[in-house]
Amino acid sequence: MGTLQSLSDEPEYRELAEKTGFSFEQIGILHKRFKQLSHNENTLRRADLDTIPDLACNPIRTQIIEAFFDKRNFHQNGDGTVEEISFEEFLVVMSHFRPPALNMTEEQREKVRREKLRFLFNMHNTDNDGTITLEEYRHVVEELLSRSGALGKETAKGIADAAMLEVASISMGHMEPDEFYEGITFEHFLKILKDIEIETRMNIRFLNMDTTTLCNRDSSSIR
Amino acid sequence: MANYCSSSSMVDLWLTTAAAARQHVCFHLIPRLSGVVPESCLLIVVGLLVGGLIKVIGEEPPVLDSQLFFLCLLPPIILDAGYFLPIRPFTENVGTILVFAVIGTLWNAFFVGGLLYALCQIESVGLTSVDLLACLLFGSIVSAVDPVAVLAVFEKIHINELVHILVFGESLLNDAVTVVLYNLFEEFSKVGTVTVLDVFLGVVCFFVVSLGGVLVGAIYGILAAFTSRFTSHTRVIEPLFVFLYSYMAYLSSEMFHLSGIMALIACGVVMRPYVEANISHKSYTTIKYFLKMWSSVSETLIFIFLGVSTVAGPHAWNWTFVIVTVILCLVSRVLGVIGLTFIINKFRIVRLTKKDQFIVAYGGLRGAIAFSLGYLLSSNHQKRNLFLTAIITVIFFTVFVQGMTIRPLVELLAVKRKKESKPSINQEIHTEFLDHLLTGVEGVRGHYGHYHWKEKVNRFNKIYVKRWLIAGENFMEPELIAFYRKMELKQAIMLVESGQLPSALPSTVSMQNIQARATPRLSKKREEEIRRILRSNLQNNKQRMCSFSYSRHTLFDADEEDNVSQVHLRKMERRVSMMKGRMSHYLTVPADRESPRPGVRRVRFESNNQVFSADSVPTAHFEQPSTPRTPDAVSLEEEVPKRRNLKADGGGPRGTVSDSNQGELNYQRLARCLSDPGPNKVENYPFMS
């Protein structure tokens, strides 16, 4: 049932495929998943994502869910957050996790890297002022450590401070004693993470035929 | 008794020769050569020379005894490889590695064996007596990629992590296939015929051998981890447990004809995270260095003995057979890699490029395992000498030709090299962040992918396993914190050893630059109190309100390094500060011994407008988890070195300033409150502990 339906929506899918780079089958599968999550409505809300059982024990689930509703990730130069998203916006956010094609030039790879790192940057930079301040970074580390036991805010603060110091040392090098390091800009962010090969690490699999989603549809309604 | 002594002294002599050979030949006499030629080649040449020498004397040169090889020489290398196996790339690529190891080796064995049989059918070669099973047996011996040779060659070329783990993982995991094929074909060639049932049994056997080996290794690994939980009082023998259990794992599995190599790998991999959480730092260092030492010695001996055995013979040379074998090995490897990659790339997220494939194919070196297996063939096996000669030729070809040319080829093809990166706390944070992010997105996507299962394993590990295998409170500690502590410890040790902090680039950034506006405010009352105290103790009445920049040195105390490093640190710091001739104040905070992780902090204040140099770069400071309500009073101490002050304009020596509550201490405010010190006296205050 699923695949036949997706083929019939082809003109829309073509536009989406061009925009996001997914193939038709992948778009079809994601559409199925979208419908499943939104209970067959046209828009997805935060509450729908909250119900995913796999996300329940994820320490950064709030940030992940927020990222889906963050207009900065919709590639439309928007700002702020929305309450519900359409399938197209869902797809655009998911396209950040698509693996790069095999035959890419160095330029294209760099573009993909920047895009993925921009997504990460937006996740940290919640107030959208262009820099990740110390407070925001501390929040990130606190969230990461929140599920892993009760070692408290002090530890998180210490680690975040150390990380910030490292960024400042690497990007600024020389600072006068009374200068103040505002925060991590996007360029600095690129610099400190250049050794993690983001374009190969930040990907998930978008297979063509996946039976687990079909099974999930039945079992999730029971849950 | 004399015999005993003489055999021991023989062993000793060989070991000394090996060590000396490695040291002198490889590093001193021909230093430039060792950059071009991999060590393994040089060692084989040494072995050839030694063998030749022995033969000239008239003695019978010793051949690499298979039992010695499999029982003593091979295990240290494999344990070293398994214990330090990089887990993350390994698990990410385990599917690909298994496909190469199992299917690739099978393909190689049958291709080489089959075509050689076809060759032997040709009358002119003169080998019609060699039957199919013997050829297949030969194919199975010569087809396996050898971990020792791969390690020796790949160590130097610093190839990127993906290719390295693919070739290396393959060389480790194909042992199961080799063992099964070898035993099967040997049995079959005795019996003479093969039925379908035998083939089926062979497949079952393979699963039993490989999975059994892994299981045995995992059991011993868990035992070792469990034992290490209780060794807190007997730290000295901790390394011994690691070695003993691993060796037991190897022996047990060999005893049951399971794959010993896989058992060793499984043991090392399973054992490591728990053992490292339990044992002391010194034991860890001991284990690391002993493993490196043993594996290095073993490797040297193996290659030297290979050379000697070549001279020893016996040989039966048949031009066609040998040359065709070499060519077939190459061809089958290349075809196998290309074919398998074509299939694998459909399932991989990150595809293997042509360059990667080339290096994987070209890096398929054969080594001493093949030789030992060949040597193990019973002596009345027909054509044993022929096989041995061919095996040795293949080994020589791969080690010499491929080993020597791989580095220039890597450079020529501009294959991605390994990135030399220092451990960075940012990368660690983001690695963990990415893991959670990808798990989450996979959850949204609805697909149970790699990250989902990894998360499940991690959770299982944390909830059930760590509780039993890790001593004390440590099992609760998240990885990020453990990493952070290790980094701090390393930096502290480096500071003690070299007197300055390791930093990639000289940086003048300090905590103040980051925290200037983010600091919490002291209550007015407190601030006044502090100011009053400071003012009353200062000789110099000029108070500058402009910022004093400072750097912080922190020492993070681990249990053993405590006293020694403190004393050293003080000596070092005194030396450094006196050498620099700079004004510095030392602010020490007594360690709170009640808290679970006592930390000692030192802060150095420097006078105004001074440029930091590399050795005053602050490390990250790790704040104590203790609450602000500590009972200990903080006393501020100052130490003023004798030398001239750049900017001071008089002022006498300073006294101690005391009495602030540690938890609310705002270092920057204090810094601003301190005025310029006088240059005169060096006051050494006893270290408060």
Side-chain angles (χ1 to χ4, degrees), chain B residues 183-234:
Chain B
N183 287 323
L184 275 183
F185 285 136
E186 218 186 2
E187 288 296 318
F188 289 162
S189 59
K190 286 202 191 114
V191 173
T193 54
V194 183
T195 64
V196 176
L197 183 64
D198 292 327
V199 173
F200 176 69
L201 281 177
V203 173
V204 171
C205 190
F206 163 71
F207 282 109
V208 169
V209 163
S210 52
L211 293 175
V214 170
L215 192 67
V216 168
I219 292 177
Y220 275 100
I222 293 182
L223 275 177
F226 193 65
T227 313
S228 72
R229 186 180 163 191
F230 303 107
T231 56
S232 51
H233 299 294
T234 48

Short mmCIF file of all heavy atoms in Angstrom, two decimals, chain B residues 183-234:
data_model
loop_
_atom_site.label_atom_id
_atom_site.label_comp_id
_atom_site.label_asym_id
_atom_site.label_seq_id
_atom_site.Cartn_x
_atom_site.Cartn_y
_atom_site.Cartn_z
N ASN B 183 42.21 -27.09 9.22
CA ASN B 183 41.92 -28.38 9.83
C ASN B 183 41.04 -29.24 8.94
O ASN B 183 41.25 -30.44 8.79
CB ASN B 183 41.23 -28.18 11.19
CG ASN B 183 42.21 -27.70 12.23
OD1 ASN B 183 43.36 -28.12 12.23
ND2 ASN B 183 41.77 -26.82 13.09
N LEU B 184 40.04 -28.60 8.35
CA LEU B 184 39.15 -29.34 7.46
C LEU B 184 39.91 -29.99 6.33
O LEU B 184 39.78 -31.20 6.07
CB LEU B 184 38.11 -28.39 6.87
CG LEU B 184 36.85 -28.11 7.68
CD1 LEU B 184 35.94 -27.22 6.88
CD2 LEU B 184 36.16 -29.40 8.04
N PHE B 185 40.68 -29.17 5.63
CA PHE B 185 41.35 -29.71 4.45
C PHE B 185 42.38 -30.76 4.82
O PHE B 185 42.61 -31.72 4.08
CB PHE B 185 41.98 -28.60 3.62
CG PHE B 185 40.96 -27.82 2.83
CD1 PHE B 185 41.01 -26.44 2.78
CD2 PHE B 185 39.96 -28.46 2.15
CE1 PHE B 185 40.08 -25.73 2.07
CE2 PHE B 185 39.02 -27.76 1.44
CZ PHE B 185 39.07 -26.39 1.40
N GLU B 186 42.99 -30.57 5.97
CA GLU B 186 43.95 -31.58 6.38
C GLU B 186 43.26 -32.90 6.65
O GLU B 186 43.72 -33.97 6.24
CB GLU B 186 44.72 -31.13 7.62
CG GLU B 186 46.15 -31.55 7.55
CD GLU B 186 46.93 -31.26 8.81
OE1 GLU B 186 46.33 -30.75 9.77
OE2 GLU B 186 48.12 -31.54 8.81
N GLU B 187 42.12 -32.84 7.34
CA GLU B 187 41.36 -34.05 7.59
C GLU B 187 40.91 -34.68 6.29
O GLU B 187 41.02 -35.88 6.07
CB GLU B 187 40.12 -33.72 8.44
CG GLU B 187 40.42 -33.38 9.87
CD GLU B 187 41.02 -34.54 10.61
OE1 GLU B 187 40.54 -35.68 10.43
OE2 GLU B 187 41.99 -34.32 11.36
N PHE B 188 40.37 -33.83 5.43
CA PHE B 188 39.84 -34.35 4.18
C PHE B 188 40.93 -34.99 3.33
O PHE B 188 40.72 -36.01 2.70
CB PHE B 188 39.19 -33.22 3.37
CG PHE B 188 37.90 -32.74 3.94
CD1 PHE B 188 37.38 -31.52 3.57
CD2 PHE B 188 37.20 -33.49 4.87
CE1 PHE B 188 36.19 -31.06 4.10
CE2 PHE B 188 36.03 -33.04 5.42
CZ PHE B 188 35.52 -31.83 5.03
N SER B 189 42.09 -34.35 3.32
CA SER B 189 43.11 -34.92 2.44
C SER B 189 43.63 -36.25 2.98
O SER B 189 44.16 -37.07 2.24
CB SER B 189 44.26 -33.94 2.23
OG SER B 189 44.83 -33.61 3.47
N LYS B 190 43.43 -36.46 4.30
CA LYS B 190 43.78 -37.79 4.82
C LYS B 190 42.73 -38.78 4.39
O LYS B 190 43.02 -39.90 3.99
CB LYS B 190 43.84 -37.75 6.35
CG LYS B 190 45.06 -37.05 6.89
CD LYS B 190 45.35 -37.50 8.31
CE LYS B 190 46.40 -36.56 8.90
NZ LYS B 190 45.86 -35.77 10.00
N VAL B 191 41.48 -38.36 4.51
CA VAL B 191 40.39 -39.26 4.17
C VAL B 191 40.31 -39.47 2.66
O VAL B 191 40.12 -40.57 2.18
CB VAL B 191 39.05 -38.68 4.68
CG1 VAL B 191 37.89 -39.52 4.20
CG2 VAL B 191 39.08 -38.62 6.19
N GLY B 192 40.42 -38.37 1.95
CA GLY B 192 40.46 -38.50 0.49
C GLY B 192 39.22 -38.06 -0.22
O GLY B 192 39.26 -37.63 -1.37
N THR B 193 38.08 -38.14 0.43
CA THR B 193 36.86 -37.74 -0.28
C THR B 193 36.08 -36.74 0.55
O THR B 193 36.20 -36.68 1.77
CB THR B 193 35.94 -38.94 -0.56
OG1 THR B 193 35.70 -39.60 0.70
CG2 THR B 193 36.57 -39.89 -1.55
N VAL B 194 35.27 -35.97 -0.16
CA VAL B 194 34.46 -34.96 0.52
C VAL B 194 33.01 -35.16 0.14
O VAL B 194 32.68 -35.32 -1.03
CB VAL B 194 34.89 -33.54 0.09
CG1 VAL B 194 34.09 -32.51 0.86
CG2 VAL B 194 36.37 -33.35 0.31
N THR B 195 32.14 -35.16 1.11
CA THR B 195 30.72 -35.24 0.80
C THR B 195 30.06 -33.91 1.16
O THR B 195 30.65 -33.06 1.80
CB THR B 195 30.05 -36.35 1.61
OG1 THR B 195 30.15 -36.00 3.00
CG2 THR B 195 30.74 -37.68 1.37
N VAL B 196 28.81 -33.80 0.74
CA VAL B 196 28.07 -32.57 1.03
C VAL B 196 27.92 -32.39 2.54
O VAL B 196 28.01 -31.29 3.08
CB VAL B 196 26.68 -32.61 0.36
CG1 VAL B 196 25.88 -31.40 0.75
CG2 VAL B 196 26.84 -32.69 -1.15
N LEU B 197 27.71 -33.51 3.21
CA LEU B 197 27.59 -33.45 4.66
C LEU B 197 28.83 -32.86 5.29
O LEU B 197 28.76 -32.06 6.22
CB LEU B 197 27.34 -34.86 5.21
CG LEU B 197 27.12 -34.93 6.73
CD1 LEU B 197 25.85 -34.16 7.10
CD2 LEU B 197 27.05 -36.37 7.18
N ASP B 198 30.00 -33.24 4.72
CA ASP B 198 31.25 -32.70 5.25
C ASP B 198 31.31 -31.20 5.08
O ASP B 198 31.77 -30.49 5.98
CB ASP B 198 32.44 -33.35 4.53
CG ASP B 198 32.55 -34.82 4.87
OD1 ASP B 198 32.21 -35.17 6.01
OD2 ASP B 198 32.98 -35.58 3.99
N VAL B 199 30.83 -30.74 3.92
CA VAL B 199 30.86 -29.30 3.69
C VAL B 199 29.96 -28.59 4.70
O VAL B 199 30.33 -27.57 5.30
CB VAL B 199 30.39 -28.97 2.25
CG1 VAL B 199 30.25 -27.49 2.07
CG2 VAL B 199 31.38 -29.55 1.25
N PHE B 200 28.78 -29.17 4.90
CA PHE B 200 27.86 -28.58 5.86
C PHE B 200 28.47 -28.54 7.25
O PHE B 200 28.40 -27.55 7.98
CB PHE B 200 26.55 -29.37 5.83
CG PHE B 200 25.57 -28.89 6.84
CD1 PHE B 200 24.96 -27.67 6.72
CD2 PHE B 200 25.27 -29.66 7.96
CE1 PHE B 200 24.05 -27.22 7.66
CE2 PHE B 200 24.36 -29.22 8.90
CZ PHE B 200 23.76 -28.00 8.75
N LEU B 201 29.08 -29.68 7.61
CA LEU B 201 29.72 -29.74 8.91
C LEU B 201 30.84 -28.70 9.01
O LEU B 201 31.08 -28.13 10.07
CB LEU B 201 30.29 -31.14 9.17
CG LEU B 201 29.26 -32.17 9.60
CD1 LEU B 201 29.93 -33.54 9.75
CD2 LEU B 201 28.61 -31.77 10.90
N GLY B 202 31.49 -28.48 7.89
CA GLY B 202 32.55 -27.48 7.87
C GLY B 202 32.01 -26.10 8.22
O GLY B 202 32.61 -25.36 9.00
N VAL B 203 30.86 -25.78 7.64
CA VAL B 203 30.27 -24.47 7.93
C VAL B 203 29.90 -24.35 9.40
O VAL B 203 30.17 -23.35 10.07
CB VAL B 203 29.02 -24.25 7.05
CG1 VAL B 203 28.31 -23.00 7.46
CG2 VAL B 203 29.44 -24.18 5.60
N VAL B 204 29.29 -25.43 9.92
CA VAL B 204 28.95 -25.43 11.34
C VAL B 204 30.19 -25.26 12.19
O VAL B 204 30.23 -24.50 13.15
CB VAL B 204 28.22 -26.75 11.70
CG1 VAL B 204 28.07 -26.85 13.20
CG2 VAL B 204 26.88 -26.82 11.02
N CYS B 205 31.22 -25.98 11.77
CA CYS B 205 32.49 -25.93 12.49
C CYS B 205 33.00 -24.49 12.55
O CYS B 205 33.50 -24.04 13.58
CB CYS B 205 33.48 -26.83 11.76
SG CYS B 205 35.00 -27.09 12.66
N PHE B 206 32.87 -23.81 11.42
CA PHE B 206 33.36 -22.44 11.40
C PHE B 206 32.67 -21.59 12.45
O PHE B 206 33.31 -20.83 13.19
CB PHE B 206 33.14 -21.84 10.00
CG PHE B 206 33.23 -20.36 10.00
CD1 PHE B 206 34.45 -19.74 10.17
CD2 PHE B 206 32.11 -19.57 9.87
CE1 PHE B 206 34.56 -18.37 10.20
CE2 PHE B 206 32.20 -18.20 9.89
CZ PHE B 206 33.43 -17.60 10.06
N PHE B 207 31.36 -21.71 12.51
CA PHE B 207 30.64 -20.91 13.50
C PHE B 207 31.03 -21.27 14.92
O PHE B 207 31.19 -20.41 15.78
CB PHE B 207 29.13 -21.07 13.31
CG PHE B 207 28.61 -20.25 12.18
CD1 PHE B 207 28.18 -20.85 11.00
CD2 PHE B 207 28.56 -18.88 12.28
CE1 PHE B 207 27.73 -20.09 9.96
CE2 PHE B 207 28.10 -18.11 11.24
CZ PHE B 207 27.68 -18.71 10.07
N VAL B 208 31.19 -22.57 15.13
CA VAL B 208 31.57 -23.02 16.47
C VAL B 208 32.93 -22.46 16.85
O VAL B 208 33.13 -21.92 17.94
CB VAL B 208 31.58 -24.56 16.54
CG1 VAL B 208 32.23 -25.03 17.82
CG2 VAL B 208 30.17 -25.09 16.45
N VAL B 209 33.87 -22.59 15.91
CA VAL B 209 35.23 -22.14 16.20
C VAL B 209 35.28 -20.64 16.50
O VAL B 209 35.85 -20.19 17.49
CB VAL B 209 36.16 -22.49 15.02
CG1 VAL B 209 37.45 -21.69 15.09
CG2 VAL B 209 36.47 -23.96 15.01
N SER B 210 34.64 -19.86 15.64
CA SER B 210 34.76 -18.41 15.82
C SER B 210 33.96 -17.94 17.02
O SER B 210 34.49 -17.23 17.89
CB SER B 210 34.31 -17.69 14.56
OG SER B 210 33.04 -18.14 14.18
N LEU B 211 32.69 -18.35 17.07
CA LEU B 211 31.89 -17.87 18.19
C LEU B 211 32.36 -18.46 19.52
O LEU B 211 32.35 -17.78 20.54
CB LEU B 211 30.41 -18.20 17.95
CG LEU B 211 29.82 -17.44 16.77
CD1 LEU B 211 28.40 -17.90 16.50
CD2 LEU B 211 29.85 -15.96 17.05
N GLY B 212 32.80 -19.70 19.47
CA GLY B 212 33.34 -20.30 20.68
C GLY B 212 34.56 -19.57 21.18
O GLY B 212 34.69 -19.30 22.38
N GLY B 213 35.43 -19.23 20.25
CA GLY B 213 36.62 -18.49 20.64
C GLY B 213 36.26 -17.17 21.29
O GLY B 213 36.80 -16.79 22.35
N VAL B 214 35.33 -16.46 20.66
CA VAL B 214 34.92 -15.17 21.21
C VAL B 214 34.31 -15.35 22.60
O VAL B 214 34.58 -14.58 23.53
CB VAL B 214 33.91 -14.50 20.27
CG1 VAL B 214 33.29 -13.30 20.92
CG2 VAL B 214 34.59 -14.09 18.98
N LEU B 215 33.51 -16.40 22.75
CA LEU B 215 32.87 -16.63 24.03
C LEU B 215 33.88 -16.92 25.12
O LEU B 215 33.82 -16.36 26.22
CB LEU B 215 31.89 -17.81 23.89
CG LEU B 215 30.94 -18.01 25.06
CD1 LEU B 215 30.00 -16.84 25.12
CD2 LEU B 215 30.17 -19.31 24.88
N VAL B 216 34.82 -17.79 24.80
CA VAL B 216 35.86 -18.11 25.79
C VAL B 216 36.61 -16.84 26.19
O VAL B 216 36.84 -16.57 27.37
CB VAL B 216 36.83 -19.17 25.20
CG1 VAL B 216 38.06 -19.29 26.08
CG2 VAL B 216 36.14 -20.49 25.09
N GLY B 217 36.97 -16.06 25.18
CA GLY B 217 37.69 -14.82 25.47
C GLY B 217 36.86 -13.88 26.33
O GLY B 217 37.36 -13.28 27.28
N ALA B 218 35.57 -13.77 26.01
CA ALA B 218 34.73 -12.86 26.77
C ALA B 218 34.60 -13.31 28.21
O ALA B 218 34.63 -12.49 29.14
CB ALA B 218 33.34 -12.78 26.11
N ILE B 219 34.47 -14.62 28.41
CA ILE B 219 34.35 -15.13 29.79
C ILE B 219 35.59 -14.78 30.59
O ILE B 219 35.52 -14.27 31.72
CB ILE B 219 34.11 -16.65 29.78
CG1 ILE B 219 32.73 -16.94 29.21
CG2 ILE B 219 34.21 -17.21 31.18
CD1 ILE B 219 32.43 -18.41 29.09
N TYR B 220 36.75 -15.05 30.00
CA TYR B 220 37.98 -14.72 30.72
C TYR B 220 38.13 -13.23 30.92
O TYR B 220 38.66 -12.77 31.94
CB TYR B 220 39.19 -15.28 29.97
CG TYR B 220 39.47 -16.72 30.31
CD1 TYR B 220 39.08 -17.75 29.48
CD2 TYR B 220 40.11 -17.03 31.50
CE1 TYR B 220 39.33 -19.06 29.81
CE2 TYR B 220 40.36 -18.33 31.84
CZ TYR B 220 39.97 -19.35 30.99
OH TYR B 220 40.22 -20.65 31.33
N GLY B 221 37.64 -12.47 29.96
CA GLY B 221 37.70 -11.02 30.12
C GLY B 221 36.88 -10.55 31.29
O GLY B 221 37.30 -9.71 32.10
N ILE B 222 35.69 -11.11 31.42
CA ILE B 222 34.83 -10.73 32.54
C ILE B 222 35.45 -11.17 33.86
O ILE B 222 35.42 -10.43 34.85
CB ILE B 222 33.42 -11.32 32.35
CG1 ILE B 222 32.78 -10.66 31.15
CG2 ILE B 222 32.58 -11.12 33.58
CD1 ILE B 222 31.39 -11.11 30.88
N LEU B 223 36.05 -12.35 33.83
CA LEU B 223 36.72 -12.81 35.06
C LEU B 223 37.83 -11.85 35.46
O LEU B 223 37.99 -11.51 36.63
CB LEU B 223 37.31 -14.21 34.83
CG LEU B 223 36.37 -15.38 35.04
CD1 LEU B 223 37.09 -16.67 34.72
CD2 LEU B 223 35.88 -15.40 36.48
N ALA B 224 38.60 -11.45 34.47
CA ALA B 224 39.70 -10.53 34.77
C ALA B 224 39.16 -9.21 35.30
O ALA B 224 39.70 -8.65 36.26
CB ALA B 224 40.51 -10.28 33.50
N ALA B 225 38.08 -8.72 34.69
CA ALA B 225 37.50 -7.46 35.16
C ALA B 225 37.00 -7.62 36.58
O ALA B 225 37.20 -6.74 37.44
CB ALA B 225 36.36 -7.06 34.24
N PHE B 226 36.37 -8.74 36.85
CA PHE B 226 35.84 -8.98 38.19
C PHE B 226 36.96 -9.06 39.22
O PHE B 226 36.85 -8.53 40.32
CB PHE B 226 35.02 -10.27 38.16
CG PHE B 226 34.19 -10.46 39.38
CD1 PHE B 226 33.16 -9.59 39.68
CD2 PHE B 226 34.45 -11.49 40.26
CE1 PHE B 226 32.39 -9.74 40.79
CE2 PHE B 226 33.67 -11.66 41.38
CZ PHE B 226 32.64 -10.79 41.65
N THR B 227 38.04 -9.74 38.81
CA THR B 227 39.17 -9.83 39.74
C THR B 227 39.75 -8.45 40.01
O THR B 227 40.12 -8.13 41.14
CB THR B 227 40.27 -10.72 39.14
OG1 THR B 227 39.70 -11.91 38.64
CG2 THR B 227 41.30 -11.06 40.18
N SER B 228 39.83 -7.66 38.98
CA SER B 228 40.48 -6.36 39.17
C SER B 228 39.67 -5.47 40.09
O SER B 228 40.17 -4.48 40.60
CB SER B 228 40.67 -5.66 37.82
OG SER B 228 39.43 -5.22 37.34
N ARG B 229 38.43 -5.83 40.29
CA ARG B 229 37.62 -5.02 41.20
C ARG B 229 38.13 -5.11 42.63
O ARG B 229 37.96 -4.18 43.42
CB ARG B 229 36.19 -5.54 41.11
CG ARG B 229 35.24 -4.70 41.88
CD ARG B 229 33.85 -5.25 41.76
NE ARG B 229 33.04 -4.66 42.81
CZ ARG B 229 31.84 -5.05 43.13
NH1 ARG B 229 31.30 -6.05 42.48
NH2 ARG B 229 31.18 -4.47 44.09
N PHE B 230 38.75 -6.22 42.94
CA PHE B 230 39.16 -6.43 44.32
C PHE B 230 40.63 -6.24 44.56
O PHE B 230 41.14 -6.60 45.60
CB PHE B 230 38.78 -7.85 44.76
CG PHE B 230 37.32 -8.11 44.60
CD1 PHE B 230 36.86 -8.93 43.60
CD2 PHE B 230 36.42 -7.52 45.45
CE1 PHE B 230 35.51 -9.16 43.44
CE2 PHE B 230 35.07 -7.75 45.31
CZ PHE B 230 34.61 -8.57 44.30
N THR B 231 41.33 -5.69 43.58
CA THR B 231 42.78 -5.62 43.74
C THR B 231 43.25 -4.30 44.33
O THR B 231 44.42 -3.96 44.20
CB THR B 231 43.47 -5.81 42.38
OG1 THR B 231 42.96 -4.81 41.49
CG2 THR B 231 43.24 -7.17 41.85
N SER B 232 42.36 -3.58 44.96
CA SER B 232 42.79 -2.25 45.41
C SER B 232 43.85 -2.33 46.48
O SER B 232 44.56 -1.37 46.74
CB SER B 232 41.59 -1.45 45.90
OG SER B 232 40.87 -2.21 46.83
N HIS B 233 43.97 -3.49 47.11
CA HIS B 233 44.99 -3.59 48.15
C HIS B 233 46.27 -4.23 47.65
O HIS B 233 47.26 -4.27 48.36
CB HIS B 233 44.46 -4.39 49.34
CG HIS B 233 43.28 -3.74 49.94
ND1 HIS B 233 43.36 -2.53 50.57
CD2 HIS B 233 41.98 -4.11 49.99
CE1 HIS B 233 42.15 -2.19 51.00
NE2 HIS B 233 41.31 -3.11 50.66
N THR B 234 46.21 -4.79 46.49
CA THR B 234 47.40 -5.45 45.97
C THR B 234 47.69 -4.92 44.59
O THR B 234 47.64 -5.62 43.60
CB THR B 234 47.17 -6.97 45.89
OG1 THR B 234 45.90 -7.18 45.25
CG2 THR B 234 47.18 -7.58 47.24
#
